[in-house]
Amino acid sequence: MGIKLAQSFSFLLLILLTILSSGPSIILGKGLSIREATVRDFQLAFKHNQLTSRQLVEFYLQEIHRLNPVLHGVIEVNPHALTQADKADHERKIKATGSLYGLHGIPILLKDNIATKDKMNTTAGSFALLGSIVPRDAGVVARLRKAGAIILGKASLSEWSYFRTDGAPSGWSARGGQGKNPYTLGDPCGSSSGSAISVAANMAAVTLGTETDGSILCPSDSNSVVGIKPTVGLTSRAGVVPISPRQDSVGPICRTVSDTAYVLEAIAGIDIHDNATFEASKYIPKGGYAQFLRSDGLRGKRLGIVRDLFDLYYRDSGSDTATKETFQRPLKTLRQRGAILVDNLKLDNITEIYSTSGEIVALKAEFKLSLNAYLKELIASPVRSLADVIEFNKNNPVLEKI
């Protein structure tokens, strides 16, 4: 019976993966598929009239309609996405070549804890915030709009950025359902799960996630995409449903390293609503990050390899030889590209930091204070404090699946 069940599951998985990998496509110049295109490729296709922003948005809306019922990577789409695409196409015709930013006309999906002052909701995946009205766009959203990016919609997440309960599955929220890794249909890791799912499955060109501790890096790793958690304050947290002002950060989740550079370049900088950005902005390189996208960019760079972290993570997981060999491959590539690896770098008290830092105690206190401040600033909201949210969940156990 066990063998038959396993065979049935494998057959079902094969069918679902076939559905996920098929569907409409657009071929750009030199035979490049839209599914493999980078932000740079899109911009070249725009320039040579091989693609419009409307066509790109229509493609992603079709993919969301086709794939999201299985993957649950998107909570809602922007009803004005096509209007924004038409605006970008028009601007491209009337503005001088070279005057438009790297993300101009590019659709981007935002994690559903990043506020947008439009027809979309910002709920952190909870019905408690459905219908709330934010005072303004989040700082990073204001920068994206200035860069000409198209806000495609809101990505799903682990509810309240996986801070509601330890008992819920990673990647699950009441509004979004259970997000699924597009490669395995299993655990996508959280909390920026929907952002990683969506870009991995080509439901968006690029996405934004947020991280307090692992919420960009873990889903990026699990869904085979690229994520960056910027230094705290490098990108504004204003307008983002918070956990901790000491640790929260907003960063890109994309298919390629180059795409993350373009997105980070667009969203980094000073925001008067986030004091941490004033100090961090001093370290933004003049000319931005995309200038460093060079084939020899690693030559001479010193990179520390902390193997203790790898050993701690896999110590009790039964890691096999293949996993360890996989860990070694990128190190070899880095050396071949000219990087200087400082191997077996030791960090003092790494075991204590990793396992008994007391982080959760501090986060619980900071979450209450930060969330109360965020909720009080909303123009309208069904809840105004953490206590209100807890009461909402108690009064709506079916809706919130308590």
Side-chain angles (χ1 to χ4, degrees), residues 8 52 58 131 133 138 163 207 248 331 344 374 385:
S8 297
T52 66
E58 287 176 339
I133 300 175
F163 216 67
T207 68
D248 290 350
L331 303 184
N344 286 304
Y374 172 87
S385 66

Side-chain angles (χ1 to χ4, degrees), residues 200-269:
N202 283 299
M203 294 193 290
V206 295
T207 68
L208 282 190
T210 68
E211 175 167 327
T212 304
D213 184 343
S215 293
I216 289 176
L217 301 183
C218 186
S220 297
D221 172 69
S222 294
N223 294 276
S224 300
V225 291
V226 181
I228 296 177
K229 179 189 179 179
T231 299
V232 171
L234 187 65
T235 56
S236 172
R237 290 83 50 84
V240 177
V241 181
I243 292 179
S244 165
R246 292 181 307 105
Q247 294 183 219
D248 290 350
S249 182
V250 181
I253 298 179
C254 307
R255 291 181 54 256
T256 66
V257 172
S258 64
D259 284 355
T260 61
Y262 282 111
V263 176
L264 182 60
E265 187 167 292
I267 63 175

Side-chain angles (χ1 to χ4, degrees), residues 326-340:
T326 301
F327 177 78
Q328 295 291 343
R329 283 193 209 114
L331 303 184
K332 181 179 179 181
T333 301
L334 291 170
R335 289 191 181 96
Q336 290 173 341
R337 293 300 181 93
I340 301 168

